Amino acid sequence: MNSISIIGTGYVGLVTGTCLSEFGIRVTCMDVDRGKIDSLSRGRVPIYEPGLDALVAKNLEAGRLRFTADIAEAVAGSNMIFIAVGTPPGEDGSVDMKHVLAAAESIAEHMTEPKVIVNKSTVPVGTGRRVKALVHSILERRGLGGLAFDVVSNPEFLREGSAVRDFMHPDRVVIGSESEAAAAQMRDIYNVLYLIDTPFIFTTLESAELIKYASNAFLATKITFINEIANLCDAAGADVHAVAKAMGLDGRIGKYFLHPGPGYGGSCLPKDTQGLVAIGRDHGVRMDVVGAVIAANDAQKRFMVDKIEKGLGGLDGRTVAVLGLAFKPETDDMRFAPSVPIVQGLIAKGARVRAYDPVAMDNAFKHDLAAEAAAGGLRACADEYEAASGADAVVLLTEWNQFRHLDLNRVRELMAGRHFFDLRNVYEPQDMTARGFVYAGVGR
Ligand code: NAD
């Protein structure tokens, strides 16, 4: 029977480990962050992810899920070891592989029996082979050159905010492997998904690694494309929602990821588009489309600041209420959130910003926007109504459900001005105008 250890207990590692334990498999989640492990061992989940707390508690209680900071224990306790550590962007956009290589090294230093090493982190094409060579060289040095092991690529496609549901009902499971036995073990641990007719793609290590980057870069392209069309709609007096709906009805295009906004953010799309350009560079292949997407996405955030500035007739001395800081609803993740450059851009042009987010306040004010808060340009508010009090403009930046149902009359009364910049197109322009707002969405 397979048992699993997960090296790296972040968004992906914790969700993967917890969901696999829910499938009935014995799972040990390991992390170098002792604080995180201590907290998880007591059933306290350190990230905000809907539905995850209950699953962690249930499987901890059942004894199928455990947490450790001890790599030796994690390696000894399982026959399949998943690597789910971060692959952040380096200075030049290339993928920083230090955590993946450190994890592979520590597995090789501790293994004494055959293992399947499964890479779940998003990594450049060629990493599986690199990990194989690294593990092999360490085993040889340890006098264990004959010890069998396989390396599998199993990229993860879950989205923060719906990670548990995505893991339990994925559009596909991708397994890259050179070993039939390892591929069969992978199918076995995902048997629950196999039984509900989830498509499985069995392919090579290289193809599996590229599928992840190609998918994320394509999604980023779709978002950026509709943002560009939205900007044109604004200038030409068209409605991007009508355009996107009609485009999406074409089966060759598809209706998803055609919602305009302030530019994509988050822990995946920005770093994976940059990563793909760097991977292309390493292979002597120009990735011009992806390069243009990155540039256009950066420009979209500046364009939003300009739009607010123009709408208000200047930002100097103006008070702007920002609703939502997380890169999307249902997460506390602030990595590459569009709110960061937009808030910074507003402050740089002289605005005072009052901000509120239902769950990302801590991350935002302690890390990403700490300097702006310390300098006095940014103030944390207790809720959306405190943020709106005395503001010349409200900017809706993250479409949390509670911002979809604002008491608009109260907001209007609390504000000093009337401008409402709806960067997620949550509200209807006509309705907002009728309520006395000077309303601006994106592309309508
Ligand atoms: P994360 O930063 O939330 O978690 C990574 C964890 O790994 C951290 O807890 C860190 O302490 C730990 N770690 C680092 N080095 C370690 C080591 N040597 N041994 C043990 N633990 C170690 O990252 P994440 O968001 O979970 O992303 C992990 C990978 O999955 C990345 O490659 C990412 O691109 C990919 N991915 C992320 C998402 C997402 O939505 N977050 C979705 C799909 C794929």
Side-chain angles (χ1 to χ4, degrees):
M1 203 168 91
N2 292 310
S3 53
I4 290 172
S5 289
I6 313 260
I7 313 298
T9 307
Y11 283 90
V12 166
L14 180 58
V15 171
T16 300
T18 306
C19 291
L20 290 175
S21 69
E22 178 69 12
F23 289 171
I25 302 167
R26 217 160 38 77
V27 178
T28 304
C29 286
M30 182 269 163
D31 203 287
V32 286
D33 183 339
R34 277 180 188 278
K36 195 178 265 190
I37 291 300
D38 286 348
S39 151
L40 283 162
S41 300
R42 282 182 271 117
R44 284 200 48 244
V45 175
I47 53 170
Y48 179 81
E49 189 58 53
L52 189 57
D53 304 47
L55 278 188
V56 168
K58 177 182 166 195
N59 287 287
L60 260 178
E61 170 84 24
R64 281 190 298 269
L65 179 63
R66 41 201 300 281
F67 298 96
T68 181
D70 182 353
I71 181 72
E73 187 187 329
V75 173
S78 59
N79 64 330
M80 302 182 78
I81 305 176
F82 281 57
I83 297 176
V85 297
T87 44
E91 289 280 297
D92 60 352
S94 62
V95 186
D96 184 345
M97 292 294 294
K98 66 172 182 280
H99 300 303
V100 171
L101 297 176
E105 245 178 76
S106 57
I107 294 167
E109 291 291 357
H110 290 90
M111 62 188 266
T112 52
E113 48 191 31
K115 304 279 177 196
V116 176
I117 300 169
V118 182
N119 186 37
K120 225 178 203 334
S121 297
T122 301
V123 291
V125 55
T127 299
R129 241 162 258 291
R130 194 172 167 193
V131 164
K132 231 179 210 179
L134 176 67
V135 171
H136 188 69
S137 72
I138 293 172
L139 289 178
E140 279 207 319
R141 174 177 52 70
R142 291 179 58 216
L144 295 171
L147 192 56
F149 71 94
D150 284 309
V151 173
V152 171
S153 168
N154 173 219
E156 181 51 54
F157 299 94
L158 63 76
R159 295 162 298 178
E160 288 173 20
S162 54
V164 171
R165 196 183 63 221
D166 288 347
F167 194 93
M168 298 288 197
H169 300 279
D171 288 339
R172 75 298 208 189
V173 173
V174 174
I175 293 168
S177 168
E178 293 183 314
S179 148
E180 275 185 27
Q185 271 174 275
M186 292 298 292
R187 207 195 99 162
D188 181 58
I189 61 161
Y190 286 122
N191 196 32
V192 173
L193 301 181
Y194 209 78
L195 293 175
I196 57 167
D197 285 336
T198 307
F200 274 60
I201 307 292
F202 291 98
T203 183
T204 61
L205 280 171
E206 284 76 13
S207 301
E209 288 164 347
L210 255 183
I211 285 167
K212 174 65 189 178
Y213 278 100
S215 302
N216 272 3
F218 192 77
L219 293 173
T221 304
K222 242 182 142 179
I223 297 173
T224 307
F225 184 84
I226 202 65
N227 284 343
E228 204 162 89
I229 296 295
N231 298 343
L232 184 57
C233 285
D234 261 339
D239 178 356
V240 71
H241 284 240
V243 175
K245 183 164 186 192
M247 279 174 66
L249 287 170
D250 185 327
R252 294 167 302 175
I253 295 174
K255 64 183 178 182
Y256 298 107
F257 270 62
L258 286 179
H259 192 84
Y264 63 76
S267 67
C268 290
L269 298 190
K271 90 171 167 55
D272 293 348
T273 42
Q274 284 183 20
L276 188 54
V277 169
I279 293 164
R281 203 165 51 224
D282 289 346
H283 287 78
V285 176
R286 293 170 60 121
M287 307 300 287
D288 289 341
V289 172
V290 188
V293 165
I294 296 168
N297 189 58
D298 289 345
Q300 184 70 1
K301 295 162 201 166
R302 292 192 295 275
F303 189 70
M304 294 297 113
V305 175
D306 292 348
K307 187 185 180 90
I308 297 164
E309 183 181 30
K310 260 192 220 141
L312 278 174
L315 280 164
D316 201 21
R318 296 305 190 99
T319 301
V320 177
V322 165
L323 307 190
L325 294 167
F327 86 93
K328 63 187 237 180
E330 301 299 333
T331 183
D332 59 353
D333 200 339
M334 284 292 297
R335 287 178 280 185
F336 295 97
S339 65
V340 175
I342 291 175
V343 166
Q344 286 169 341
L346 294 171
I347 293 172
K349 289 181 182 247
R352 286 184 300 267
V353 176
R354 304 160 60 84
Y356 169 69
D357 186 283
V359 302
M361 293 299 269
D362 243 29
N363 281 346
F365 279 81
K366 286 191 184 147
H367 307 288
D368 307 85
L369 290 166
E372 287 71 19
L378 172 65
R379 211 183 105 184
C381 294
D383 63 25
E384 50 273 53
Y385 300 103
E386 188 187 315
S389 293
D392 296 300
V394 164
V395 177
L396 201 166
L397 251 174
T398 315
E399 66 278 37
W400 284 94
N401 276 342
Q402 72 191 72
F403 301 154
R404 289 180 184 275
H405 298 281
L406 291 170
D407 180 342
L408 290 165
N409 293 337
R410 186 173 166 207
V411 169
R412 174 74 191 83
E413 276 163 25
L414 288 168
M415 289 174 68
R418 300 195 297 133
H419 287 269
F420 195 109
F421 297 93
D422 180 0
L423 303 192
R424 300 290 180 175
N425 289 356
V426 164
Y427 290 102
E428 283 307 316
Q430 281 178 349
D431 182 44
M432 293 299 276
T433 309
R435 287 172 185 274
F437 288 102
V438 179
Y439 176 85
V442 182
R444 52 208 299 241

